[in-house]
PDB file of all heavy atoms in Angstrom:
ATOM      1  N   ALA A  81       0.829  -1.205   0.000  1.00 98.00           N
ATOM      2  CA  ALA A  81       0.000   0.000   0.000  1.00 98.00           C
ATOM      3  C   ALA A  81       0.864   1.257   0.000  1.00 98.00           C
ATOM      4  O   ALA A  81       0.534   2.256  -0.657  1.00 98.00           O
ATOM      5  CB  ALA A  81      -0.938  -0.013   1.206  1.00 98.00           C
ATOM      6  N   ASN A  82       1.976   1.218   0.719  1.00 98.00           N
ATOM      7  CA  ASN A  82       2.876   2.376   0.748  1.00 98.00           C
ATOM      8  C   ASN A  82       3.467   2.656  -0.626  1.00 98.00           C
ATOM      9  O   ASN A  82       3.630   3.815  -1.027  1.00 98.00           O
ATOM     10  CB  ASN A  82       3.996   2.160   1.768  1.00 98.00           C
ATOM     11  CG  ASN A  82       3.539   2.371   3.191  1.00 98.00           C
ATOM     12  OD1 ASN A  82       2.554   3.062   3.450  1.00 98.00           O
ATOM     13  ND2 ASN A  82       4.237   1.766   4.136  1.00 98.00           N
ATOM     14  N   ILE A  83       3.794   1.593  -1.364  1.00 97.00           N
ATOM     15  CA  ILE A  83       4.308   1.771  -2.722  1.00 97.00           C
ATOM     16  C   ILE A  83       3.201   2.264  -3.645  1.00 97.00           C
ATOM     17  O   ILE A  83       3.389   3.205  -4.427  1.00 97.00           O
ATOM     18  CB  ILE A  83       4.907   0.450  -3.246  1.00 97.00           C
ATOM     19  CG1 ILE A  83       6.125   0.046  -2.407  1.00 97.00           C
ATOM     20  CG2 ILE A  83       5.291   0.581  -4.721  1.00 97.00           C
ATOM     21  CD1 ILE A  83       6.672  -1.328  -2.725  1.00 97.00           C
ATOM     22  N   ARG A  84       2.039   1.640  -3.535  1.00 97.00           N
ATOM     23  CA  ARG A  84       0.897   2.046  -4.373  1.00 97.00           C
ATOM     24  C   ARG A  84       0.549   3.520  -4.170  1.00 97.00           C
ATOM     25  O   ARG A  84       0.278   4.244  -5.134  1.00 97.00           O
ATOM     26  CB  ARG A  84      -0.310   1.178  -4.031  1.00 97.00           C
ATOM     27  CG  ARG A  84      -1.593   1.517  -4.799  1.00 97.00           C
ATOM     28  CD  ARG A  84      -2.804   0.931  -4.101  1.00 97.00           C
ATOM     29  NE  ARG A  84      -2.965   1.472  -2.750  1.00 97.00           N
ATOM     30  CZ  ARG A  84      -3.741   0.927  -1.819  1.00 97.00           C
ATOM     31  NH1 ARG A  84      -4.393  -0.193  -2.070  1.00 97.00           N
ATOM     32  NH2 ARG A  84      -3.842   1.497  -0.628  1.00 97.00           N
ATOM     33  N   ASP A  85       0.575   3.967  -2.924  1.00 97.00           N
ATOM     34  CA  ASP A  85       0.164   5.335  -2.591  1.00 97.00           C
ATOM     35  C   ASP A  85       1.308   6.346  -2.686  1.00 97.00           C
ATOM     36  O   ASP A  85       1.165   7.486  -2.261  1.00 97.00           O
ATOM     37  CB  ASP A  85      -0.424   5.362  -1.173  1.00 97.00           C
ATOM     38  CG  ASP A  85      -1.654   4.472  -1.044  1.00 97.00           C
ATOM     39  OD1 ASP A  85      -2.275   4.157  -2.084  1.00 97.00           O
ATOM     40  OD2 ASP A  85      -1.977   4.075   0.095  1.00 97.00           O
ATOM     41  N   ASN A  86       2.446   5.888  -3.211  1.00 96.00           N
ATOM     42  CA  ASN A  86       3.616   6.756  -3.418  1.00 96.00           C
ATOM     43  C   ASN A  86       4.197   7.288  -2.115  1.00 96.00           C
ATOM     44  O   ASN A  86       4.863   8.328  -2.092  1.00 96.00           O
ATOM     45  CB  ASN A  86       3.270   7.924  -4.346  1.00 96.00           C
ATOM     46  CG  ASN A  86       4.481   8.431  -5.122  1.00 96.00           C
ATOM     47  OD1 ASN A  86       5.390   7.657  -5.429  1.00 96.00           O
ATOM     48  ND2 ASN A  86       4.502   9.714  -5.422  1.00 96.00           N
ATOM     49  N   LYS A  87       3.960   6.580  -1.025  1.00 97.00           N
ATOM     50  CA  LYS A  87       4.590   6.934   0.242  1.00 97.00           C
ATOM     51  C   LYS A  87       5.987   6.322   0.344  1.00 97.00           C
ATOM     52  O   LYS A  87       6.858   6.850   1.032  1.00 97.00           O
ATOM     53  CB  LYS A  87       3.730   6.451   1.406  1.00 97.00           C
ATOM     54  CG  LYS A  87       2.344   7.094   1.479  1.00 97.00           C
ATOM     55  CD  LYS A  87       1.512   6.480   2.586  1.00 97.00           C
ATOM     56  CE  LYS A  87       0.115   7.070   2.640  1.00 97.00           C
ATOM     57  NZ  LYS A  87      -0.713   6.420   3.693  1.00 97.00           N
ATOM     58  N   ASP A  88       6.173   5.187  -0.319  1.00 97.00           N
ATOM     59  CA  ASP A  88       7.480   4.532  -0.394  1.00 97.00           C
ATOM     60  C   ASP A  88       7.976   4.681  -1.821  1.00 97.00           C
ATOM     61  O   ASP A  88       7.406   4.109  -2.753  1.00 97.00           O
ATOM     62  CB  ASP A  88       7.350   3.047  -0.021  1.00 97.00           C
ATOM     63  CG  ASP A  88       8.675   2.303  -0.090  1.00 97.00           C
ATOM     64  OD1 ASP A  88       9.674   2.886  -0.568  1.00 97.00           O
ATOM     65  OD2 ASP A  88       8.715   1.127   0.321  1.00 97.00           O
ATOM     66  N   ARG A  89       9.034   5.477  -1.984  1.00 96.00           N
ATOM     67  CA  ARG A  89       9.558   5.741  -3.322  1.00 96.00           C
ATOM     68  C   ARG A  89      10.902   5.078  -3.551  1.00 96.00           C
ATOM     69  O   ARG A  89      11.674   5.497  -4.420  1.00 96.00           O
ATOM     70  CB  ARG A  89       9.666   7.258  -3.518  1.00 96.00           C
ATOM     71  CG  ARG A  89       8.336   7.981  -3.326  1.00 96.00           C
ATOM     72  CD  ARG A  89       8.477   9.479  -3.497  1.00 96.00           C
ATOM     73  NE  ARG A  89       7.218  10.167  -3.200  1.00 96.00           N
ATOM     74  CZ  ARG A  89       7.051  11.477  -3.266  1.00 96.00           C
ATOM     75  NH1 ARG A  89       8.064  12.264  -3.605  1.00 96.00           N
ATOM     76  NH2 ARG A  89       5.870  12.009  -2.975  1.00 96.00           N
ATOM     77  N   THR A  90      11.183   4.037  -2.778  1.00 96.00           N
ATOM     78  CA  THR A  90      12.483   3.369  -2.886  1.00 96.00           C
ATOM     79  C   THR A  90      12.509   2.328  -3.997  1.00 96.00           C
ATOM     80  O   THR A  90      13.581   1.782  -4.285  1.00 96.00           O
ATOM     81  CB  THR A  90      12.851   2.687  -1.557  1.00 96.00           C
ATOM     82  OG1 THR A  90      11.864   1.677  -1.252  1.00 96.00           O
ATOM     83  CG2 THR A  90      12.896   3.710  -0.421  1.00 96.00           C
ATOM     84  N   ARG A  91      11.365   2.050  -4.601  1.00 96.00           N
ATOM     85  CA  ARG A  91      11.306   1.071  -5.697  1.00 96.00           C
ATOM     86  C   ARG A  91      10.607   1.724  -6.891  1.00 96.00           C
ATOM     87  O   ARG A  91       9.443   1.412  -7.196  1.00 96.00           O
ATOM     88  CB  ARG A  91      10.596  -0.207  -5.246  1.00 96.00           C
ATOM     89  CG  ARG A  91      11.369  -0.964  -4.177  1.00 96.00           C
ATOM     90  CD  ARG A  91      10.649  -2.213  -3.712  1.00 96.00           C
ATOM     91  NE  ARG A  91      11.395  -2.902  -2.673  1.00 96.00           N
ATOM     92  CZ  ARG A  91      12.231  -3.920  -2.889  1.00 96.00           C
ATOM     93  NH1 ARG A  91      12.418  -4.391  -4.115  1.00 96.00           N
ATOM     94  NH2 ARG A  91      12.881  -4.490  -1.890  1.00 96.00           N
ATOM     95  N   PRO A  92      11.311   2.626  -7.578  1.00 94.00           N
ATOM     96  CA  PRO A  92      10.674   3.407  -8.644  1.00 94.00           C
ATOM     97  C   PRO A  92      10.194   2.583  -9.832  1.00 94.00           C
ATOM     98  O   PRO A  92       9.323   3.041 -10.573  1.00 94.00           O
ATOM     99  CB  PRO A  92      11.781   4.397  -9.057  1.00 94.00           C
ATOM    100  CG  PRO A  92      13.059   3.753  -8.619  1.00 94.00           C
ATOM    101  CD  PRO A  92      12.723   3.007  -7.370  1.00 94.00           C
ATOM    102  N   ALA A  93      10.750   1.391 -10.026  1.00 89.00           N
ATOM    103  CA  ALA A  93      10.338   0.573 -11.159  1.00 89.00           C
ATOM    104  C   ALA A  93       9.057  -0.208 -10.879  1.00 89.00           C
ATOM    105  O   ALA A  93       8.488  -0.823 -11.783  1.00 89.00           O
ATOM    106  CB  ALA A  93      11.456  -0.399 -11.536  1.00 89.00           C
ATOM    107  N   LEU A  94       8.610  -0.186  -9.632  1.00 95.00           N
ATOM    108  CA  LEU A  94       7.463  -1.006  -9.226  1.00 95.00           C
ATOM    109  C   LEU A  94       6.213  -0.138  -9.127  1.00 95.00           C
ATOM    110  O   LEU A  94       6.187   0.863  -8.410  1.00 95.00           O
ATOM    111  CB  LEU A  94       7.761  -1.659  -7.876  1.00 95.00           C
ATOM    112  CG  LEU A  94       6.859  -2.807  -7.415  1.00 95.00           C
ATOM    113  CD1 LEU A  94       6.854  -3.926  -8.437  1.00 95.00           C
ATOM    114  CD2 LEU A  94       7.344  -3.326  -6.069  1.00 95.00           C
ATOM    115  N   THR A  95       5.181  -0.522  -9.853  1.00 96.00           N
ATOM    116  CA  THR A  95       3.906   0.191  -9.818  1.00 96.00           C
ATOM    117  C   THR A  95       2.819  -0.779  -9.378  1.00 96.00           C
ATOM    118  O   THR A  95       2.588  -1.798 -10.041  1.00 96.00           O
ATOM    119  CB  THR A  95       3.555   0.780 -11.193  1.00 96.00           C
ATOM    120  OG1 THR A  95       4.618   1.616 -11.640  1.00 96.00           O
ATOM    121  CG2 THR A  95       2.270   1.597 -11.117  1.00 96.00           C
ATOM    122  N   ILE A  96       2.179  -0.469  -8.268  1.00 97.00           N
ATOM    123  CA  ILE A  96       1.146  -1.333  -7.713  1.00 97.00           C
ATOM    124  C   ILE A  96      -0.229  -0.802  -8.108  1.00 97.00           C
ATOM    125  O   ILE A  96      -0.524   0.380  -7.920  1.00 97.00           O
ATOM    126  CB  ILE A  96       1.254  -1.415  -6.175  1.00 97.00           C
ATOM    127  CG1 ILE A  96       2.655  -1.864  -5.760  1.00 97.00           C
ATOM    128  CG2 ILE A  96       0.189  -2.353  -5.609  1.00 97.00           C
ATOM    129  CD1 ILE A  96       3.050  -3.234  -6.236  1.00 97.00           C
ATOM    130  N   GLY A  97      -1.054  -1.673  -8.647  1.00 97.00           N
ATOM    131  CA  GLY A  97      -2.426  -1.317  -8.964  1.00 97.00           C
ATOM    132  C   GLY A  97      -3.331  -1.649  -7.793  1.00 97.00           C
ATOM    133  O   GLY A  97      -3.266  -1.029  -6.739  1.00 97.00           O
ATOM    134  N   GLU A  98      -4.150  -2.678  -7.944  1.00 98.00           N
ATOM    135  CA  GLU A  98      -5.034  -3.101  -6.867  1.00 98.00           C
ATOM    136  C   GLU A  98      -4.357  -4.147  -5.992  1.00 98.00           C
ATOM    137  O   GLU A  98      -3.582  -4.981  -6.478  1.00 98.00           O
ATOM    138  CB  GLU A  98      -6.337  -3.669  -7.431  1.00 98.00           C
ATOM    139  CG  GLU A  98      -7.219  -2.653  -8.126  1.00 98.00           C
ATOM    140  CD  GLU A  98      -8.579  -3.240  -8.463  1.00 98.00           C
ATOM    141  OE1 GLU A  98      -9.424  -3.358  -7.547  1.00 98.00           O
ATOM    142  OE2 GLU A  98      -8.793  -3.575  -9.641  1.00 98.00           O
ATOM    143  N   ILE A  99      -4.647  -4.085  -4.710  1.00 98.00           N
ATOM    144  CA  ILE A  99      -4.193  -5.099  -3.758  1.00 98.00           C
ATOM    145  C   ILE A  99      -5.426  -5.878  -3.324  1.00 98.00           C
ATOM    146  O   ILE A  99      -6.388  -5.300  -2.811  1.00 98.00           O
ATOM    147  CB  ILE A  99      -3.515  -4.452  -2.533  1.00 98.00           C
ATOM    148  CG1 ILE A  99      -2.321  -3.598  -2.971  1.00 98.00           C
ATOM    149  CG2 ILE A  99      -3.063  -5.529  -1.540  1.00 98.00           C
ATOM    150  CD1 ILE A  99      -1.755  -2.731  -1.861  1.00 98.00           C
ATOM    151  N   PHE A 100      -5.402  -7.193  -3.545  1.00 98.00           N
ATOM    152  CA  PHE A 100      -6.536  -8.044  -3.198  1.00 98.00           C
ATOM    153  C   PHE A 100      -6.203  -8.841  -1.939  1.00 98.00           C
ATOM    154  O   PHE A 100      -5.529  -9.882  -2.015  1.00 98.00           O
ATOM    155  CB  PHE A 100      -6.863  -9.010  -4.338  1.00 98.00           C
ATOM    156  CG  PHE A 100      -7.152  -8.341  -5.653  1.00 98.00           C
ATOM    157  CD1 PHE A 100      -6.490  -8.752  -6.813  1.00 98.00           C
ATOM    158  CD2 PHE A 100      -8.075  -7.316  -5.756  1.00 98.00           C
ATOM    159  CE1 PHE A 100      -6.751  -8.155  -8.032  1.00 98.00           C
ATOM    160  CE2 PHE A 100      -8.352  -6.704  -6.968  1.00 98.00           C
ATOM    161  CZ  PHE A 100      -7.685  -7.122  -8.113  1.00 98.00           C
ATOM    162  N   PRO A 101      -6.625  -8.391  -0.760  1.00 98.00           N
ATOM    163  CA  PRO A 101      -6.367  -9.160   0.465  1.00 98.00           C
ATOM    164  C   PRO A 101      -7.412 -10.266   0.621  1.00 98.00           C
ATOM    165  O   PRO A 101      -8.617 -10.014   0.530  1.00 98.00           O
ATOM    166  CB  PRO A 101      -6.504  -8.102   1.569  1.00 98.00           C
ATOM    167  CG  PRO A 101      -7.461  -7.092   1.002  1.00 98.00           C
ATOM    168  CD  PRO A 101      -7.309  -7.115  -0.485  1.00 98.00           C
ATOM    169  N   TYR A 102      -6.936 -11.474   0.824  1.00 97.00           N
ATOM    170  CA  TYR A 102      -7.851 -12.613   0.974  1.00 97.00           C
ATOM    171  C   TYR A 102      -7.485 -13.380   2.237  1.00 97.00           C
ATOM    172  O   TYR A 102      -6.321 -13.692   2.465  1.00 97.00           O
ATOM    173  CB  TYR A 102      -7.759 -13.545  -0.239  1.00 97.00           C
ATOM    174  CG  TYR A 102      -8.841 -14.605  -0.280  1.00 97.00           C
ATOM    175  CD1 TYR A 102     -10.048 -14.353  -0.924  1.00 97.00           C
ATOM    176  CD2 TYR A 102      -8.669 -15.836   0.331  1.00 97.00           C
ATOM    177  CE1 TYR A 102     -11.059 -15.315  -0.962  1.00 97.00           C
ATOM    178  CE2 TYR A 102      -9.665 -16.798   0.312  1.00 97.00           C
ATOM    179  CZ  TYR A 102     -10.861 -16.526  -0.335  1.00 97.00           C
ATOM    180  OH  TYR A 102     -11.854 -17.480  -0.351  1.00 97.00           O
ATOM    181  N   ASP A 103      -8.497 -13.645   3.081  1.00 95.00           N
ATOM    182  CA  ASP A 103      -8.251 -14.378   4.314  1.00 95.00           C
ATOM    183  C   ASP A 103      -9.418 -15.315   4.580  1.00 95.00           C
ATOM    184  O   ASP A 103     -10.354 -15.404   3.772  1.00 95.00           O
ATOM    185  CB  ASP A 103      -8.020 -13.425   5.485  1.00 95.00           C
ATOM    186  CG  ASP A 103      -7.027 -13.979   6.497  1.00 95.00           C
ATOM    187  OD1 ASP A 103      -7.437 -14.850   7.279  1.00 95.00           O
ATOM    188  OD2 ASP A 103      -5.856 -13.550   6.499  1.00 95.00           O
ATOM    189  N   ILE A 104      -9.378 -15.972   5.724  1.00 91.00           N
ATOM    190  CA  ILE A 104     -10.348 -17.010   6.008  1.00 91.00           C
ATOM    191  C   ILE A 104     -11.775 -16.482   6.069  1.00 91.00           C
ATOM    192  O   ILE A 104     -12.734 -17.207   5.799  1.00 91.00           O
ATOM    193  CB  ILE A 104      -9.979 -17.734   7.331  1.00 91.00           C
ATOM    194  CG1 ILE A 104     -10.781 -19.016   7.490  1.00 91.00           C
ATOM    195  CG2 ILE A 104     -10.137 -16.790   8.524  1.00 91.00           C
ATOM    196  CD1 ILE A 104     -10.292 -19.906   8.606  1.00 91.00           C
ATOM    197  N   ASP A 105     -11.952 -15.194   6.386  1.00 94.00           N
ATOM    198  CA  ASP A 105     -13.292 -14.628   6.479  1.00 94.00           C
ATOM    199  C   ASP A 105     -13.705 -13.845   5.232  1.00 94.00           C
ATOM    200  O   ASP A 105     -14.753 -13.189   5.214  1.00 94.00           O
ATOM    201  CB  ASP A 105     -13.404 -13.726   7.708  1.00 94.00           C
ATOM    202  CG  ASP A 105     -12.390 -12.589   7.704  1.00 94.00           C
ATOM    203  OD1 ASP A 105     -11.538 -12.558   6.791  1.00 94.00           O
ATOM    204  OD2 ASP A 105     -12.452 -11.742   8.608  1.00 94.00           O
ATOM    205  N   THR A 106     -12.889 -13.912   4.168  1.00 96.00           N
ATOM    206  CA  THR A 106     -13.245 -13.258   2.910  1.00 96.00           C
ATOM    207  C   THR A 106     -14.302 -14.090   2.189  1.00 96.00           C
ATOM    208  O   THR A 106     -14.189 -15.323   2.144  1.00 96.00           O
ATOM    209  CB  THR A 106     -12.006 -13.108   2.011  1.00 96.00           C
ATOM    210  OG1 THR A 106     -10.973 -12.433   2.733  1.00 96.00           O
ATOM    211  CG2 THR A 106     -12.340 -12.327   0.747  1.00 96.00           C
ATOM    212  N   PRO A 107     -15.346 -13.479   1.618  1.00 96.00           N
ATOM    213  CA  PRO A 107     -16.333 -14.250   0.849  1.00 96.00           C
ATOM    214  C   PRO A 107     -15.650 -15.092  -0.217  1.00 96.00           C
ATOM    215  O   PRO A 107     -14.891 -14.560  -1.040  1.00 96.00           O
ATOM    216  CB  PRO A 107     -17.214 -13.158   0.228  1.00 96.00           C
ATOM    217  CG  PRO A 107     -17.108 -12.005   1.177  1.00 96.00           C
ATOM    218  CD  PRO A 107     -15.702 -12.047   1.693  1.00 96.00           C
ATOM    219  N   PRO A 108     -15.866 -16.409  -0.220  1.00 94.00           N
ATOM    220  CA  PRO A 108     -15.145 -17.301  -1.135  1.00 94.00           C
ATOM    221  C   PRO A 108     -15.284 -16.923  -2.603  1.00 94.00           C
ATOM    222  O   PRO A 108     -14.360 -17.155  -3.397  1.00 94.00           O
ATOM    223  CB  PRO A 108     -15.769 -18.671  -0.852  1.00 94.00           C
ATOM    224  CG  PRO A 108     -16.322 -18.564   0.537  1.00 94.00           C
ATOM    225  CD  PRO A 108     -16.765 -17.153   0.682  1.00 94.00           C
ATOM    226  N   GLU A 109     -16.412 -16.332  -2.980  1.00 95.00           N
ATOM    227  CA  GLU A 109     -16.612 -16.007  -4.383  1.00 95.00           C
ATOM    228  C   GLU A 109     -15.629 -14.946  -4.880  1.00 95.00           C
ATOM    229  O   GLU A 109     -15.387 -14.816  -6.092  1.00 95.00           O
ATOM    230  CB  GLU A 109     -18.047 -15.533  -4.633  1.00 95.00           C
ATOM    231  CG  GLU A 109     -18.470 -14.301  -3.837  1.00 95.00           C
ATOM    232  CD  GLU A 109     -19.087 -14.637  -2.487  1.00 95.00           C
ATOM    233  OE1 GLU A 109     -18.899 -15.787  -2.009  1.00 95.00           O
ATOM    234  OE2 GLU A 109     -19.758 -13.753  -1.930  1.00 95.00           O
ATOM    235  N   LEU A 110     -15.053 -14.181  -3.974  1.00 98.00           N
ATOM    236  CA  LEU A 110     -14.077 -13.166  -4.379  1.00 98.00           C
ATOM    237  C   LEU A 110     -12.774 -13.786  -4.868  1.00 98.00           C
ATOM    238  O   LEU A 110     -12.026 -13.147  -5.620  1.00 98.00           O
ATOM    239  CB  LEU A 110     -13.791 -12.210  -3.223  1.00 98.00           C
ATOM    240  CG  LEU A 110     -14.900 -11.207  -2.881  1.00 98.00           C
ATOM    241  CD1 LEU A 110     -14.496 -10.339  -1.695  1.00 98.00           C
ATOM    242  CD2 LEU A 110     -15.226 -10.333  -4.084  1.00 98.00           C
ATOM    243  N   LEU A 111     -12.487 -15.015  -4.453  1.00 97.00           N
ATOM    244  CA  LEU A 111     -11.242 -15.652  -4.882  1.00 97.00           C
ATOM    245  C   LEU A 111     -11.189 -15.767  -6.393  1.00 97.00           C
ATOM    246  O   LEU A 111     -10.140 -15.520  -7.007  1.00 97.00           O
ATOM    247  CB  LEU A 111     -11.090 -17.032  -4.239  1.00 97.00           C
ATOM    248  CG  LEU A 111      -9.775 -17.751  -4.553  1.00 97.00           C
ATOM    249  CD1 LEU A 111      -8.587 -16.957  -4.018  1.00 97.00           C
ATOM    250  CD2 LEU A 111      -9.766 -19.164  -3.957  1.00 97.00           C
ATOM    251  N   SER A 112     -12.315 -16.115  -7.010  1.00 97.00           N
ATOM    252  CA  SER A 112     -12.351 -16.244  -8.466  1.00 97.00           C
ATOM    253  C   SER A 112     -12.082 -14.903  -9.131  1.00 97.00           C
ATOM    254  O   SER A 112     -11.287 -14.817 -10.079  1.00 97.00           O
ATOM    255  CB  SER A 112     -13.718 -16.786  -8.901  1.00 97.00           C
ATOM    256  OG  SER A 112     -13.778 -16.897 -10.312  1.00 97.00           O
ATOM    257  N   GLU A 113     -12.712 -13.850  -8.624  1.00 98.00           N
ATOM    258  CA  GLU A 113     -12.496 -12.516  -9.190  1.00 98.00           C
ATOM    259  C   GLU A 113     -11.042 -12.092  -9.050  1.00 98.00           C
ATOM    260  O   GLU A 113     -10.440 -11.569 -10.002  1.00 98.00           O
ATOM    261  CB  GLU A 113     -13.403 -11.510  -8.474  1.00 98.00           C
ATOM    262  CG  GLU A 113     -13.189 -10.071  -8.917  1.00 98.00           C
ATOM    263  CD  GLU A 113     -13.978  -9.077  -8.066  1.00 98.00           C
ATOM    264  OE1 GLU A 113     -14.973  -9.486  -7.432  1.00 98.00           O
ATOM    265  OE2 GLU A 113     -13.572  -7.897  -8.025  1.00 98.00           O
ATOM    266  N   TYR A 114     -10.464 -12.329  -7.881  1.00 98.00           N
ATOM    267  CA  TYR A 114      -9.080 -11.933  -7.651  1.00 98.00           C
ATOM    268  C   TYR A 114      -8.111 -12.729  -8.527  1.00 98.00           C
ATOM    269  O   TYR A 114      -7.144 -12.174  -9.053  1.00 98.00           O
ATOM    270  CB  TYR A 114      -8.720 -12.115  -6.182  1.00 98.00           C
ATOM    271  CG  TYR A 114      -9.467 -11.206  -5.219  1.00 98.00           C
ATOM    272  CD1 TYR A 114      -9.464 -11.460  -3.850  1.00 98.00           C
ATOM    273  CD2 TYR A 114     -10.176 -10.094  -5.668  1.00 98.00           C
ATOM    274  CE1 TYR A 114     -10.139 -10.634  -2.954  1.00 98.00           C
ATOM    275  CE2 TYR A 114     -10.854  -9.271  -4.789  1.00 98.00           C
ATOM    276  CZ  TYR A 114     -10.831  -9.548  -3.428  1.00 98.00           C
ATOM    277  OH  TYR A 114     -11.497  -8.736  -2.552  1.00 98.00           O
ATOM    278  N   CYS A 115      -8.372 -14.022  -8.669  1.00 98.00           N
ATOM    279  CA  CYS A 115      -7.485 -14.866  -9.484  1.00 98.00           C
ATOM    280  C   CYS A 115      -7.547 -14.479 -10.955  1.00 98.00           C
ATOM    281  O   CYS A 115      -6.567 -14.638 -11.689  1.00 98.00           O
ATOM    282  CB  CYS A 115      -7.852 -16.337  -9.316  1.00 98.00           C
ATOM    283  SG  CYS A 115      -7.288 -17.068  -7.762  1.00 98.00           S
ATOM    284  N   ALA A 116      -8.674 -13.965 -11.391  1.00 98.00           N
ATOM    285  CA  ALA A 116      -8.811 -13.543 -12.784  1.00 98.00           C
ATOM    286  C   ALA A 116      -7.998 -12.276 -13.054  1.00 98.00           C
ATOM    287  O   ALA A 116      -7.462 -12.091 -14.151  1.00 98.00           O
ATOM    288  CB  ALA A 116     -10.278 -13.307 -13.122  1.00 98.00           C
ATOM    289  N   LYS A 117      -7.882 -11.398 -12.050  1.00 98.00           N
ATOM    290  CA  LYS A 117      -7.259 -10.096 -12.239  1.00 98.00           C
ATOM    291  C   LYS A 117      -5.798 -10.030 -11.798  1.00 98.00           C
ATOM    292  O   LYS A 117      -5.085  -9.097 -12.161  1.00 98.00           O
ATOM    293  CB  LYS A 117      -8.045  -9.035 -11.469  1.00 98.00           C
ATOM    294  CG  LYS A 117      -9.470  -8.836 -11.936  1.00 98.00           C
ATOM    295  CD  LYS A 117     -10.155  -7.771 -11.086  1.00 98.00           C
ATOM    296  CE  LYS A 117     -11.584  -7.507 -11.537  1.00 98.00           C
ATOM    297  NZ  LYS A 117     -12.239  -6.490 -10.657  1.00 98.00           N
ATOM    298  N   ALA A 118      -5.337 -10.992 -11.007  1.00 98.00           N
ATOM    299  CA  ALA A 118      -4.021 -10.890 -10.379  1.00 98.00           C
ATOM    300  C   ALA A 118      -2.885 -10.982 -11.389  1.00 98.00           C
ATOM    301  O   ALA A 118      -2.930 -11.778 -12.334  1.00 98.00           O
ATOM    302  CB  ALA A 118      -3.862 -11.974  -9.318  1.00 98.00           C
ATOM    303  N   ASP A 119      -1.862 -10.170 -11.163  1.00 98.00           N
ATOM    304  CA  ASP A 119      -0.617 -10.253 -11.933  1.00 98.00           C
ATOM    305  C   ASP A 119       0.489 -10.934 -11.132  1.00 98.00           C
ATOM    306  O   ASP A 119       1.553 -11.248 -11.684  1.00 98.00           O
ATOM    307  CB  ASP A 119      -0.156  -8.852 -12.322  1.00 98.00           C
ATOM    308  CG  ASP A 119      -1.154  -8.136 -13.219  1.00 98.00           C
ATOM    309  OD1 ASP A 119      -1.485  -8.673 -14.283  1.00 98.00           O
ATOM    310  OD2 ASP A 119      -1.631  -7.055 -12.820  1.00 98.00           O
ATOM    311  N   PHE A 120       0.248 -11.117  -9.845  1.00 98.00           N
ATOM    312  CA  PHE A 120       1.200 -11.805  -8.965  1.00 98.00           C
ATOM    313  C   PHE A 120       0.411 -12.264  -7.751  1.00 98.00           C
ATOM    314  O   PHE A 120      -0.445 -11.536  -7.252  1.00 98.00           O
ATOM    315  CB  PHE A 120       2.329 -10.861  -8.531  1.00 98.00           C
ATOM    316  CG  PHE A 120       3.561 -11.567  -8.019  1.00 98.00           C
ATOM    317  CD1 PHE A 120       4.710 -11.634  -8.783  1.00 98.00           C
ATOM    318  CD2 PHE A 120       3.576 -12.171  -6.762  1.00 98.00           C
ATOM    319  CE1 PHE A 120       5.857 -12.278  -8.309  1.00 98.00           C
ATOM    320  CE2 PHE A 120       4.702 -12.808  -6.287  1.00 98.00           C
ATOM    321  CZ  PHE A 120       5.855 -12.865  -7.061  1.00 98.00           C
ATOM    322  N   VAL A 121       0.735 -13.482  -7.272  1.00 98.00           N
ATOM    323  CA  VAL A 121       0.036 -14.039  -6.115  1.00 98.00           C
ATOM    324  C   VAL A 121       1.042 -14.372  -5.022  1.00 98.00           C
ATOM    325  O   VAL A 121       2.023 -15.092  -5.268  1.00 98.00           O
ATOM    326  CB  VAL A 121      -0.755 -15.312  -6.471  1.00 98.00           C
ATOM    327  CG1 VAL A 121      -1.422 -15.900  -5.226  1.00 98.00           C
ATOM    328  CG2 VAL A 121      -1.799 -15.002  -7.539  1.00 98.00           C
TER     329      VAL A 121
END
């Protein structure tokens, strides 16, 4: 989030779009949506 929000500028080559946090209490149907959009897991 710090990189995405430009608070951490120590990795200028890295651009973060969306961050998909998934945990045990996340609605299971979101996993499919996140897996479709993810560029790194």
